[in-house]
Amino acid sequence: MGSQVSKQVERRKAISTEKKTLCDLHQNCGEEFPGCDYKPSDRKNWMAGINPEKVHINKIVWPGTHDSATNKIGFPAITRPFAQCQSLSIYQQLVKGTRVLDIRIQEDRRVCHGILLTYSIDVVINDVKKFLSETQSEIIILEIRTEFGHEDPPDFDKYLVDQLGEFLIHQDEHVFNKTIAELLPRRVICVWKPRKSPQAKAGSPLWNAGHLKDNWIDTDLPSTKFESNLKYLSEQPPVSTRKFFYRVENTVTPQADNPVLCVKPVTRRIHGFARLFITQCFSKGVADRLQIFSTDFIDEDFVDACVAATYARVEGKA
């Protein structure tokens, strides 16, 4: 019992130290980067606002959400706090400016996070289609994967093509060098990551798992995650030559050996340092590698930071 208490005391000290490390870095370095003062006048149409004829796919810093469809996961006030990573619906996230969605499903096509369940994938698809019907030039990356420990839904690739066919941008590595205007009216890059089913092939309406990569760092320590994100990002090719999307997640994750197991108070430890991360990318010379930047509980400032970095690239300021 005594050793367990001692361990928890050390854990709390480590978390406090790492939070202070990021606060000190923020105080010393600030959060200014090229174009940082740019704000979209309409987040719902921010890609259109920059100019689809000038915005190349590989120049976008894509604001994304982690575990996007968890706003109604589990049971309210009982299991939901342990798995909820977003409080907004998919449609609300897209209107706020999110352009990369991370969806996990199980065999019956219900969205899940571990063992906890929520609504059917139909809810996600309908929200996406509603958003697409209300906009003209916004491109979405829709990543759907079979959750760990679950089986693939039967014929799910056919379901996605049936539902989104007219909007799907086909798997083609030339897409990265094209502008939004050159891809229109197709507007969805759908990355389907099954566990056992065959991967989508080149030319398919769907994209395979190799086209969206990340390095998941499972920790609740904010500075550890921040520095690990920078390290792994620095090891990637520049976006100008890369033929896959690479994601960095500005999140930390509750750990079983820590008494704080609810998502929101844990991920809050790093949530406010998104602009600092972008600033550090520029400072360390790896800003040309930043592409998908995702978060829990997305807010306007996170979106604005990603849009500002995109604007800087498009205007030749970065």
Side-chain angles (χ1 to χ4, degrees), residues 274-312:
R275 284 183 179 268
L276 176 64
F277 184 82
I278 296 175
T279 300
Q280 286 296 294
C281 287
F282 279 98
S283 176
K284 295 182 180 296
V286 298
D288 62 341
R289 291 154 171 76
L290 186 61
Q291 194 168 42
I292 297 176
F293 196 29
S294 292
T295 189
D296 292 325
F297 302 103
I298 196 162
D299 56 28
E300 290 87 349
D301 189 65
F302 185 90
V303 170
D304 289 353
C306 294
V307 176
T310 301
Y311 174 78

mmCIF file of all heavy atoms in Angstrom, residues 274-312:
data_model
loop_
_atom_site.group_PDB
_atom_site.id
_atom_site.type_symbol
_atom_site.label_atom_id
_atom_site.label_comp_id
_atom_site.label_asym_id
_atom_site.label_seq_id
_atom_site.Cartn_x
_atom_site.Cartn_y
_atom_site.Cartn_z
ATOM 1 N N ALA A 274 -1.030 24.089 -28.622
ATOM 2 C CA ALA A 274 -1.009 23.805 -30.057
ATOM 3 C C ALA A 274 -0.212 24.857 -30.831
ATOM 4 O O ALA A 274 0.625 24.530 -31.680
ATOM 5 C CB ALA A 274 -2.430 23.709 -30.595
ATOM 6 N N ARG A 275 -0.473 26.131 -30.540
ATOM 7 C CA ARG A 275 0.276 27.186 -31.241
ATOM 8 C C ARG A 275 1.764 27.139 -30.885
ATOM 9 O O ARG A 275 2.624 27.401 -31.732
ATOM 10 C CB ARG A 275 -0.305 28.559 -30.912
ATOM 11 C CG ARG A 275 -1.610 28.861 -31.639
ATOM 12 C CD ARG A 275 -2.114 30.257 -31.347
ATOM 13 N NE ARG A 275 -3.337 30.536 -32.075
ATOM 14 C CZ ARG A 275 -3.402 31.105 -33.280
ATOM 15 N NH1 ARG A 275 -2.278 31.467 -33.885
ATOM 16 N NH2 ARG A 275 -4.557 31.313 -33.878
ATOM 17 N N LEU A 276 2.062 26.790 -29.641
ATOM 18 C CA LEU A 276 3.466 26.638 -29.250
ATOM 19 C C LEU A 276 4.112 25.529 -30.075
ATOM 20 O O LEU A 276 5.270 25.672 -30.502
ATOM 21 C CB LEU A 276 3.560 26.307 -27.755
ATOM 22 C CG LEU A 276 4.965 26.018 -27.229
ATOM 23 C CD1 LEU A 276 5.854 27.249 -27.338
ATOM 24 C CD2 LEU A 276 4.906 25.540 -25.767
ATOM 25 N N PHE A 277 3.393 24.445 -30.314
ATOM 26 C CA PHE A 277 3.957 23.346 -31.104
ATOM 27 C C PHE A 277 4.275 23.808 -32.515
ATOM 28 O O PHE A 277 5.363 23.524 -33.048
ATOM 29 C CB PHE A 277 3.000 22.153 -31.148
ATOM 30 C CG PHE A 277 3.572 20.965 -31.865
ATOM 31 C CD1 PHE A 277 4.433 20.100 -31.211
ATOM 32 C CD2 PHE A 277 3.283 20.738 -33.202
ATOM 33 C CE1 PHE A 277 4.998 19.015 -31.884
ATOM 34 C CE2 PHE A 277 3.841 19.665 -33.882
ATOM 35 C CZ PHE A 277 4.689 18.799 -33.220
ATOM 36 N N ILE A 278 3.338 24.516 -33.144
ATOM 37 C CA ILE A 278 3.598 25.016 -34.491
ATOM 38 C C ILE A 278 4.805 25.953 -34.491
ATOM 39 O O ILE A 278 5.666 25.893 -35.369
ATOM 40 C CB ILE A 278 2.351 25.716 -35.053
ATOM 41 C CG1 ILE A 278 1.200 24.716 -35.201
ATOM 42 C CG2 ILE A 278 2.668 26.353 -36.409
ATOM 43 C CD1 ILE A 278 -0.115 25.333 -35.626
ATOM 44 N N THR A 279 4.881 26.816 -33.469
ATOM 45 C CA THR A 279 6.023 27.732 -33.340
ATOM 46 C C THR A 279 7.334 26.967 -33.220
ATOM 47 O O THR A 279 8.334 27.319 -33.855
ATOM 48 C CB THR A 279 5.833 28.630 -32.103
ATOM 49 O OG1 THR A 279 4.627 29.384 -32.248
ATOM 50 C CG2 THR A 279 7.006 29.583 -31.922
ATOM 51 N N GLN A 280 7.326 25.899 -32.439
ATOM 52 C CA GLN A 280 8.533 25.090 -32.282
ATOM 53 C C GLN A 280 8.898 24.362 -33.570
ATOM 54 O O GLN A 280 10.080 24.145 -33.856
ATOM 55 C CB GLN A 280 8.339 24.089 -31.138
ATOM 56 C CG GLN A 280 8.389 24.720 -29.756
ATOM 57 C CD GLN A 280 9.750 25.326 -29.455
ATOM 58 O OE1 GLN A 280 10.747 24.621 -29.345
ATOM 59 N NE2 GLN A 280 9.801 26.656 -29.341
ATOM 60 N N CYS A 281 7.886 23.983 -34.350
ATOM 61 C CA CYS A 281 8.165 23.372 -35.650
ATOM 62 C C CYS A 281 8.970 24.331 -36.522
ATOM 63 O O CYS A 281 9.951 23.937 -37.175
ATOM 64 C CB CYS A 281 6.866 22.989 -36.352
ATOM 65 S SG CYS A 281 6.038 21.550 -35.643
ATOM 66 N N PHE A 282 8.576 25.600 -36.532
ATOM 67 C CA PHE A 282 9.328 26.603 -37.298
ATOM 68 C C PHE A 282 10.705 26.821 -36.694
ATOM 69 O O PHE A 282 11.712 26.888 -37.412
ATOM 70 C CB PHE A 282 8.550 27.918 -37.346
ATOM 71 C CG PHE A 282 7.470 27.947 -38.385
ATOM 72 C CD1 PHE A 282 6.155 27.687 -38.038
ATOM 73 C CD2 PHE A 282 7.775 28.212 -39.708
ATOM 74 C CE1 PHE A 282 5.148 27.713 -39.005
ATOM 75 C CE2 PHE A 282 6.780 28.237 -40.686
ATOM 76 C CZ PHE A 282 5.460 27.989 -40.325
ATOM 77 N N SER A 283 10.767 26.918 -35.383
ATOM 78 C CA SER A 283 12.035 27.179 -34.701
ATOM 79 C C SER A 283 13.057 26.080 -34.951
ATOM 80 O O SER A 283 14.251 26.348 -35.112
ATOM 81 C CB SER A 283 11.781 27.330 -33.194
ATOM 82 O OG SER A 283 12.988 27.488 -32.484
ATOM 83 N N LYS A 284 12.588 24.834 -35.015
ATOM 84 C CA LYS A 284 13.488 23.686 -35.165
ATOM 85 C C LYS A 284 13.653 23.264 -36.622
ATOM 86 O O LYS A 284 14.289 22.244 -36.909
ATOM 87 C CB LYS A 284 12.983 22.524 -34.318
ATOM 88 C CG LYS A 284 13.024 22.815 -32.826
ATOM 89 C CD LYS A 284 12.562 21.629 -32.001
ATOM 90 C CE LYS A 284 12.607 21.948 -30.505
ATOM 91 N NZ LYS A 284 13.978 22.197 -30.043
ATOM 92 N N GLY A 285 13.048 24.022 -37.530
ATOM 93 C CA GLY A 285 13.238 23.738 -38.950
ATOM 94 C C GLY A 285 12.482 22.539 -39.473
ATOM 95 O O GLY A 285 12.893 21.935 -40.473
ATOM 96 N N VAL A 286 11.368 22.183 -38.836
ATOM 97 C CA VAL A 286 10.590 21.022 -39.299
ATOM 98 C C VAL A 286 9.165 21.411 -39.687
ATOM 99 O O VAL A 286 8.311 20.550 -39.874
ATOM 100 C CB VAL A 286 10.564 19.896 -38.238
ATOM 101 C CG1 VAL A 286 11.972 19.389 -37.980
ATOM 102 C CG2 VAL A 286 9.915 20.356 -36.946
ATOM 103 N N ALA A 287 8.910 22.710 -39.832
ATOM 104 C CA ALA A 287 7.563 23.151 -40.198
ATOM 105 C C ALA A 287 7.153 22.635 -41.571
ATOM 106 O O ALA A 287 5.958 22.465 -41.842
ATOM 107 C CB ALA A 287 7.474 24.678 -40.165
ATOM 108 N N ASP A 288 8.132 22.355 -42.440
ATOM 109 C CA ASP A 288 7.815 21.845 -43.775
ATOM 110 C C ASP A 288 7.379 20.382 -43.744
ATOM 111 O O ASP A 288 7.042 19.805 -44.777
ATOM 112 C CB ASP A 288 9.022 22.000 -44.710
ATOM 113 C CG ASP A 288 10.240 21.201 -44.255
ATOM 114 O OD1 ASP A 288 10.303 20.825 -43.055
ATOM 115 O OD2 ASP A 288 11.136 20.957 -45.091
ATOM 116 N N ARG A 289 7.331 19.788 -42.543
ATOM 117 C CA ARG A 289 6.885 18.409 -42.389
ATOM 118 C C ARG A 289 5.488 18.312 -41.770
ATOM 119 O O ARG A 289 4.850 17.272 -41.814
ATOM 120 C CB ARG A 289 7.879 17.625 -41.522
ATOM 121 C CG ARG A 289 9.227 17.401 -42.227
ATOM 122 C CD ARG A 289 10.356 17.226 -41.224
ATOM 123 N NE ARG A 289 11.592 16.809 -41.862
ATOM 124 C CZ ARG A 289 12.408 17.587 -42.558
ATOM 125 N NH1 ARG A 289 12.100 18.853 -42.725
ATOM 126 N NH2 ARG A 289 13.509 17.115 -43.099
ATOM 127 N N LEU A 290 5.032 19.405 -41.177
ATOM 128 C CA LEU A 290 3.740 19.395 -40.480
ATOM 129 C C LEU A 290 2.599 19.301 -41.485
ATOM 130 O O LEU A 290 2.561 20.048 -42.461
ATOM 131 C CB LEU A 290 3.596 20.666 -39.640
ATOM 132 C CG LEU A 290 2.355 20.748 -38.741
ATOM 133 C CD1 LEU A 290 2.330 19.622 -37.720
ATOM 134 C CD2 LEU A 290 2.311 22.108 -38.038
ATOM 135 N N GLN A 291 1.647 18.400 -41.211
ATOM 136 C CA GLN A 291 0.571 18.189 -42.174
ATOM 137 C C GLN A 291 -0.780 18.038 -41.476
ATOM 138 O O GLN A 291 -1.552 18.983 -41.407
ATOM 139 C CB GLN A 291 0.887 16.966 -43.035
ATOM 140 C CG GLN A 291 0.034 16.817 -44.275
ATOM 141 C CD GLN A 291 0.591 15.773 -45.212
ATOM 142 O OE1 GLN A 291 1.031 14.713 -44.774
ATOM 143 N NE2 GLN A 291 0.581 16.062 -46.506
ATOM 144 N N ILE A 292 -1.081 16.876 -40.913
ATOM 145 C CA ILE A 292 -2.312 16.722 -40.135
ATOM 146 C C ILE A 292 -1.984 16.971 -38.671
ATOM 147 O O ILE A 292 -1.056 16.376 -38.119
ATOM 148 C CB ILE A 292 -2.918 15.317 -40.304
ATOM 149 C CG1 ILE A 292 -3.328 15.070 -41.758
ATOM 150 C CG2 ILE A 292 -4.128 15.137 -39.383
ATOM 151 C CD1 ILE A 292 -3.845 13.664 -42.026
ATOM 152 N N PHE A 293 -2.754 17.851 -38.048
ATOM 153 C CA PHE A 293 -2.545 18.199 -36.642
ATOM 154 C C PHE A 293 -3.891 18.002 -35.950
ATOM 155 O O PHE A 293 -4.862 18.693 -36.266
ATOM 156 C CB PHE A 293 -2.072 19.643 -36.537
ATOM 157 C CG PHE A 293 -1.464 20.022 -35.216
ATOM 158 C CD1 PHE A 293 -0.815 19.092 -34.417
ATOM 159 C CD2 PHE A 293 -1.514 21.341 -34.774
ATOM 160 C CE1 PHE A 293 -0.238 19.452 -33.205
ATOM 161 C CE2 PHE A 293 -0.945 21.718 -33.568
ATOM 162 C CZ PHE A 293 -0.298 20.775 -32.787
ATOM 163 N N SER A 294 -3.950 17.039 -35.052
ATOM 164 C CA SER A 294 -5.230 16.654 -34.451
ATOM 165 C C SER A 294 -5.264 16.940 -32.957
ATOM 166 O O SER A 294 -4.225 17.039 -32.294
ATOM 167 C CB SER A 294 -5.498 15.158 -34.689
ATOM 168 O OG SER A 294 -5.721 14.906 -36.057
ATOM 169 N N THR A 295 -6.475 17.018 -32.423
ATOM 170 C CA THR A 295 -6.652 17.348 -31.015
ATOM 171 C C THR A 295 -7.913 16.710 -30.464
ATOM 172 O O THR A 295 -8.803 16.288 -31.212
ATOM 173 C CB THR A 295 -6.722 18.883 -30.832
ATOM 174 O OG1 THR A 295 -6.691 19.210 -29.446
ATOM 175 C CG2 THR A 295 -8.003 19.451 -31.443
ATOM 176 N N ASP A 296 -8.002 16.644 -29.148
ATOM 177 C CA ASP A 296 -9.251 16.341 -28.454
ATOM 178 C C ASP A 296 -10.011 17.646 -28.253
ATOM 179 O O ASP A 296 -9.400 18.719 -28.145
ATOM 180 C CB ASP A 296 -8.978 15.711 -27.077
ATOM 181 C CG ASP A 296 -8.370 14.323 -27.172
ATOM 182 O OD1 ASP A 296 -8.727 13.579 -28.098
ATOM 183 O OD2 ASP A 296 -7.536 13.977 -26.307
ATOM 184 N N PHE A 297 -11.340 17.567 -28.204
ATOM 185 C CA PHE A 297 -12.193 18.727 -27.876
ATOM 186 C C PHE A 297 -11.765 19.961 -28.675
ATOM 187 O O PHE A 297 -11.355 20.979 -28.122
ATOM 188 C CB PHE A 297 -12.161 19.000 -26.369
ATOM 189 C CG PHE A 297 -12.607 17.812 -25.553
ATOM 190 C CD1 PHE A 297 -11.683 17.019 -24.892
ATOM 191 C CD2 PHE A 297 -13.946 17.468 -25.478
ATOM 192 C CE1 PHE A 297 -12.080 15.902 -24.157
ATOM 193 C CE2 PHE A 297 -14.358 16.361 -24.754
ATOM 194 C CZ PHE A 297 -13.434 15.569 -24.083
ATOM 195 N N ILE A 298 -11.870 19.846 -29.984
ATOM 196 C CA ILE A 298 -11.391 20.908 -30.875
ATOM 197 C C ILE A 298 -12.103 22.228 -30.607
ATOM 198 O O ILE A 298 -13.290 22.256 -30.272
ATOM 199 C CB ILE A 298 -11.549 20.483 -32.353
ATOM 200 C CG1 ILE A 298 -10.704 21.383 -33.247
ATOM 201 C CG2 ILE A 298 -13.026 20.454 -32.776
ATOM 202 C CD1 ILE A 298 -10.445 20.810 -34.622
ATOM 203 N N ASP A 299 -11.359 23.320 -30.733
ATOM 204 C CA ASP A 299 -11.934 24.648 -30.541
ATOM 205 C C ASP A 299 -11.480 25.566 -31.671
ATOM 206 O O ASP A 299 -10.671 25.184 -32.528
ATOM 207 C CB ASP A 299 -11.558 25.227 -29.172
ATOM 208 C CG ASP A 299 -10.053 25.293 -28.939
ATOM 209 O OD1 ASP A 299 -9.298 25.420 -29.929
ATOM 210 O OD2 ASP A 299 -9.624 25.224 -27.775
ATOM 211 N N GLU A 300 -12.009 26.792 -31.668
ATOM 212 C CA GLU A 300 -11.751 27.725 -32.758
ATOM 213 C C GLU A 300 -10.276 28.090 -32.887
ATOM 214 O O GLU A 300 -9.744 28.208 -33.992
ATOM 215 C CB GLU A 300 -12.575 29.010 -32.569
ATOM 216 C CG GLU A 300 -14.065 28.844 -32.780
ATOM 217 C CD GLU A 300 -14.805 28.414 -31.521
ATOM 218 O OE1 GLU A 300 -14.125 28.041 -30.515
ATOM 219 O OE2 GLU A 300 -16.050 28.452 -31.523
ATOM 220 N N ASP A 301 -9.595 28.283 -31.759
ATOM 221 C CA ASP A 301 -8.205 28.714 -31.832
ATOM 222 C C ASP A 301 -7.319 27.645 -32.453
ATOM 223 O O ASP A 301 -6.372 27.969 -33.187
ATOM 224 C CB ASP A 301 -7.683 29.093 -30.440
ATOM 225 C CG ASP A 301 -6.314 29.754 -30.520
ATOM 226 O OD1 ASP A 301 -6.229 30.851 -31.101
ATOM 227 O OD2 ASP A 301 -5.336 29.160 -30.029
ATOM 228 N N PHE A 302 -7.616 26.386 -32.175
ATOM 229 C CA PHE A 302 -6.845 25.296 -32.784
ATOM 230 C C PHE A 302 -7.015 25.332 -34.299
ATOM 231 O O PHE A 302 -6.038 25.240 -35.060
ATOM 232 C CB PHE A 302 -7.292 23.951 -32.222
ATOM 233 C CG PHE A 302 -6.472 22.789 -32.700
ATOM 234 C CD1 PHE A 302 -5.345 22.384 -32.011
ATOM 235 C CD2 PHE A 302 -6.823 22.100 -33.857
ATOM 236 C CE1 PHE A 302 -4.573 21.312 -32.461
ATOM 237 C CE2 PHE A 302 -6.062 21.034 -34.320
ATOM 238 C CZ PHE A 302 -4.937 20.643 -33.621
ATOM 239 N N VAL A 303 -8.258 25.454 -34.747
ATOM 240 C CA VAL A 303 -8.534 25.552 -36.184
ATOM 241 C C VAL A 303 -7.813 26.751 -36.783
ATOM 242 O O VAL A 303 -7.138 26.649 -37.815
ATOM 243 C CB VAL A 303 -10.051 25.643 -36.442
ATOM 244 C CG1 VAL A 303 -10.327 25.986 -37.907
ATOM 245 C CG2 VAL A 303 -10.742 24.345 -36.051
ATOM 246 N N ASP A 304 -7.928 27.901 -36.126
ATOM 247 C CA ASP A 304 -7.315 29.128 -36.646
ATOM 248 C C ASP A 304 -5.805 28.989 -36.792
ATOM 249 O O ASP A 304 -5.211 29.507 -37.752
ATOM 250 C CB ASP A 304 -7.635 30.310 -35.727
ATOM 251 C CG ASP A 304 -9.094 30.735 -35.796
ATOM 252 O OD1 ASP A 304 -9.835 30.209 -36.654
ATOM 253 O OD2 ASP A 304 -9.489 31.584 -34.979
ATOM 254 N N ALA A 305 -5.178 28.299 -35.843
ATOM 255 C CA ALA A 305 -3.722 28.109 -35.909
ATOM 256 C C ALA A 305 -3.337 27.282 -37.137
ATOM 257 O O ALA A 305 -2.378 27.613 -37.848
ATOM 258 C CB ALA A 305 -3.217 27.442 -34.634
ATOM 259 N N CYS A 306 -4.087 26.220 -37.398
ATOM 260 C CA CYS A 306 -3.810 25.376 -38.570
ATOM 261 C C CYS A 306 -4.065 26.128 -39.868
ATOM 262 O O CYS A 306 -3.284 26.040 -40.827
ATOM 263 C CB CYS A 306 -4.667 24.119 -38.519
ATOM 264 S SG CYS A 306 -4.287 22.993 -37.151
ATOM 265 N N VAL A 307 -5.159 26.877 -39.893
ATOM 266 C CA VAL A 307 -5.491 27.657 -41.089
ATOM 267 C C VAL A 307 -4.421 28.727 -41.334
ATOM 268 O O VAL A 307 -4.011 28.967 -42.475
ATOM 269 C CB VAL A 307 -6.882 28.302 -40.957
ATOM 270 C CG1 VAL A 307 -7.179 29.194 -42.158
ATOM 271 C CG2 VAL A 307 -7.957 27.221 -40.827
ATOM 272 N N ALA A 308 -3.949 29.349 -40.269
ATOM 273 C CA ALA A 308 -2.910 30.373 -40.397
ATOM 274 C C ALA A 308 -1.629 29.785 -40.975
ATOM 275 O O ALA A 308 -0.982 30.406 -41.842
ATOM 276 C CB ALA A 308 -2.634 31.012 -39.035
ATOM 277 N N ALA A 309 -1.246 28.599 -40.520
ATOM 278 C CA ALA A 309 -0.041 27.950 -41.048
ATOM 279 C C ALA A 309 -0.235 27.587 -42.523
ATOM 280 O O ALA A 309 0.698 27.692 -43.327
ATOM 281 C CB ALA A 309 0.285 26.712 -40.226
ATOM 282 N N THR A 310 -1.444 27.161 -42.870
ATOM 283 C CA THR A 310 -1.757 26.868 -44.273
ATOM 284 C C THR A 310 -1.648 28.135 -45.122
ATOM 285 O O THR A 310 -1.025 28.145 -46.193
ATOM 286 C CB THR A 310 -3.183 26.293 -44.391
ATOM 287 O OG1 THR A 310 -3.284 25.098 -43.614
ATOM 288 C CG2 THR A 310 -3.518 25.981 -45.849
ATOM 289 N N TYR A 311 -2.250 29.197 -44.630
ATOM 290 C CA TYR A 311 -2.229 30.478 -45.340
ATOM 291 C C TYR A 311 -0.781 30.941 -45.580
ATOM 292 O O TYR A 311 -0.438 31.418 -46.673
ATOM 293 C CB TYR A 311 -3.000 31.510 -44.524
ATOM 294 C CG TYR A 311 -2.944 32.919 -45.072
ATOM 295 C CD1 TYR A 311 -3.742 33.297 -46.154
ATOM 296 C CD2 TYR A 311 -2.088 33.874 -44.522
ATOM 297 C CE1 TYR A 311 -3.678 34.582 -46.675
ATOM 298 C CE2 TYR A 311 -2.035 35.169 -45.019
ATOM 299 C CZ TYR A 311 -2.830 35.518 -46.096
ATOM 300 O OH TYR A 311 -2.782 36.790 -46.603
ATOM 301 N N ALA A 312 0.056 30.809 -44.567
ATOM 302 C CA ALA A 312 1.451 31.215 -44.700
ATOM 303 C C ALA A 312 2.162 30.442 -45.814
ATOM 304 O O ALA A 312 2.946 31.005 -46.579
ATOM 305 C CB ALA A 312 2.173 31.032 -43.373
#
